[in-house]
Amino acid sequence: MKIQQENILRLRELLAQPGQRVVILSHTNPDGDAVGSSLAWAELLRTMGHRVTCIVPNKYPYFLDWMPGIDQVVVFKTDAEGRAAAAIAEADLIFCLDFNAVTRLENLTETLESNTRARRILIDHHLSPDPHFDLSFSFPESSSTCFLVYSIIEALCGVDVITQRMAECLYVGMMTDTGNFAFSFLTPELFRAVAVLIEKGLQIPDIHNSVYNAYTEGRARLFGYAINRKMELIEDGTVAYMSLLESEMRRFQFQQGDSEGFVNYALTIKKVKMSAMFLAHRKFIRVSLRSRGDVDVNLFARRYFNGGGHKNAAGGKSFVSMRETIDHYIRSVREFAEEGHLG
Ligand code: 5GP
Ligand code: MN
């Protein structure tokens, strides 16, 4: 991954004057990569003397509660004092991390648009980034935004500035976005970066335990229920889907983040090339898509669910009932297969 020197120089200029008011934003339903990259970047900017506020549209999953500095992240949805709106209104610089378009901020989008003065900088690894940024670090070939942040730090000021806290935050995103170093874009540079993080004091087994072995009993039982009772296979067993209604989620004391990983599980079946998860929310159904190899769920999400993401992991939304959403999925998969997209 080659970061253009010219962009590093522009970033250095933007950060040259200390004491600037900086906002770091990440996407709705923030995951380990969103939170990890935001916290590490915030910590670096604070050591440079800037005043930094990290904001996420809604709550992050409880298994990230332990992350260093997460208690200072402002959750817009429950921010009664208006700290997020005030920080955005006063910001000199706004960094957008781990998402490609401001519409992914959902309820925060309008608040962001109110500040037309701040310079906006994108740091992201999703396909098709929005072109309306003052400076853009868009690297779809980076396995995570955390690895991209690491690479920017390396080019901007060298890795000496990385603390153990930053190393832990960066590793969370590298680990979760690669499915524990099992998906694509696993480059030698990524593993060299991990080696440096270990030199900073990172304890991989501790991080693994804190993230992957920290669920509730309800989540474990919901997982069993979802796989046993709700997973369906179509297209001769090559395409899977699963759905959860709000009543089913309540039965297992569902908390934000509890369904993480469910959609991937169908891909452990040898024949399955594509998998979908439909999760009911109050106003819409959240669609998660995963695939293997050449099957492009970014294309599928864009075409049929008004969403996007990466080739093998994408998402979108549906505003009709669960039954209609599933019927639409089955029809769309058929069309996709007839066009040869399922191989
Ligand atoms: P997840 O299934 O984990 O929520 O999302 C998988 C990937 O798809 C993530 O990279 C995420 O950013 C992207 N994604 C999820 N939902 C949407 C959406 O509604 N619109 C777009 N453009 N991308 C999405
Ligand atoms: Mn990411």
Side-chain angles (χ1 to χ4, degrees):
M1 193 167 64
K2 185 85 193 83
I3 299 176
Q4 305 90 321
Q5 190 57 26
E6 180 194 329
N7 283 354
I8 292 293
L9 291 176
R10 285 187 61 200
L11 181 61
R12 203 172 280 149
E13 270 169 36
L14 287 174
L15 295 170
Q17 194 185 340
Q20 297 190 73
R21 286 160 300 191
V22 178
V23 161
I24 299 176
L25 295 174
S26 203
H27 60 79
T28 307
N29 291 341
D31 56 10
D33 193 32
V35 176
S37 58
S38 295
L39 293 177
W41 190 238
E43 185 137 332
L44 177 78
L45 298 190
R46 286 191 187 112
T47 63
M48 290 178 166
H50 300 297
R51 288 175 282 167
V52 186
T53 309
C54 289
I55 303 171
V56 288
N58 63 338
K59 186 85 169 92
Y60 41 83
Y62 60 91
F63 50 79
L64 301 179
D65 279 347
W66 61 273
M67 288 181 71
I70 204 164
D71 45 331
Q72 286 178 43
V73 172
V74 180
V75 179
F76 180 69
K77 201 173 172 184
T78 51
D79 171 35
E81 307 100 84
R83 286 164 62 205
I88 289 172
E90 291 165 7
D92 303 307
L93 298 175
I94 298 178
F95 285 92
C96 295
L97 266 60
D98 200 37
F99 64 97
N100 53 0
V102 291
T103 50
R104 291 235 51 224
L105 294 171
E106 295 185 2
N107 54 358
L108 231 173
T109 309
E110 231 172 274
T111 309
L112 176 65
E113 300 302 347
S114 69
N115 182 337
T116 51
R117 181 182 53 86
R119 299 293 180 86
R120 293 183 189 185
I121 304 105
L122 177 76
I123 301 182
D124 178 49
H125 71 136
H126 292 89
L127 295 161
S128 318
D130 200 328
H132 308 294
F133 284 92
D134 296 295
L135 180 57
S136 189
F137 295 89
S138 167
F139 287 85
E141 71 273 29
S142 179
S143 54
S144 61
T145 298
C146 278
F147 177 53
L148 179 54
V149 166
Y150 174 92
S151 306
I152 292 172
I153 294 174
E154 188 180 35
L156 186 71
C157 44
V159 296
D160 282 356
V161 297
I162 297 177
T163 61
Q164 182 175 337
R165 287 161 57 94
M166 286 161 71
E168 289 173 353
C169 292
L170 291 172
Y171 185 75
V172 167
M174 293 176 181
M175 174 182 83
T176 53
D177 261 32
T178 58
N180 215 0
F181 303 95
F183 302 154
S184 35
F185 304 118
L186 300 174
T187 59
E189 290 76 20
L190 172 66
F191 289 99
R192 281 191 200 106
V194 172
V196 170
L197 301 185
I198 293 172
E199 285 169 349
K200 305 291 179 184
L202 169 75
Q203 298 286 342
I204 290 177
D206 291 352
I207 305 294
H208 186 100
N209 249 324
S210 302
V211 175
Y212 291 125
N213 300 332
Y215 290 120
T216 60
E217 179 186 342
R219 192 268 184 190
R221 295 194 187 282
L222 175 66
F223 181 62
Y225 170 79
I227 297 298
N228 189 14
R229 305 279 299 277
K230 303 301 303 274
M231 188 177 73
E232 305 287 344
L233 296 174
I234 54 176
E235 297 291 324
D236 194 27
T238 60
V239 174
Y241 67 89
M242 195 189 279
S243 63
L244 286 175
L245 299 167
E246 282 183 288
S247 55
E248 293 169 311
M249 288 148 76
R250 268 196 302 276
R251 206 187 316 159
F252 294 93
Q253 299 85 42
F254 186 90
Q255 294 179 57
Q256 160 84 16
D258 270 353
S259 60
E260 205 115 313
F262 286 20
V263 64
N264 298 82
Y265 201 78
L267 288 173
T268 63
I269 302 167
K270 196 169 183 181
K271 274 176 78 176
V272 173
K273 295 176 184 170
M274 174 171 161
S275 166
M277 168 80 177
F278 305 107
L279 199 68
H281 282 248
R282 245 181 320 151
K283 293 186 185 146
F284 57 88
I285 292 168
R286 192 170 289 286
V287 181
S288 276
L289 296 156
R290 298 292 184 272
S291 64
R292 216 195 281 275
D294 285 338
V295 177
D296 187 347
V297 286
N298 173 54
L299 175 67
F300 187 88
R302 279 178 189 280
R303 221 198 243 183
Y304 301 108
F305 287 101
N306 203 12
H310 313 277
K311 186 175 169 195
N312 296 130
K317 282 180 183 172
S318 169
F319 294 91
V320 293
S321 71
M322 188 61 88
R323 188 63 257 164
E324 288 168 299
T325 301
I326 290 171
D327 288 344
H328 172 64
Y329 175 70
I330 293 170
R331 277 196 309 272
S332 306
V333 166
R334 189 84 285 276
E335 186 177 285
F336 210 54
E338 277 163 6
E339 289 180 11
H341 293 297
L342 293 183

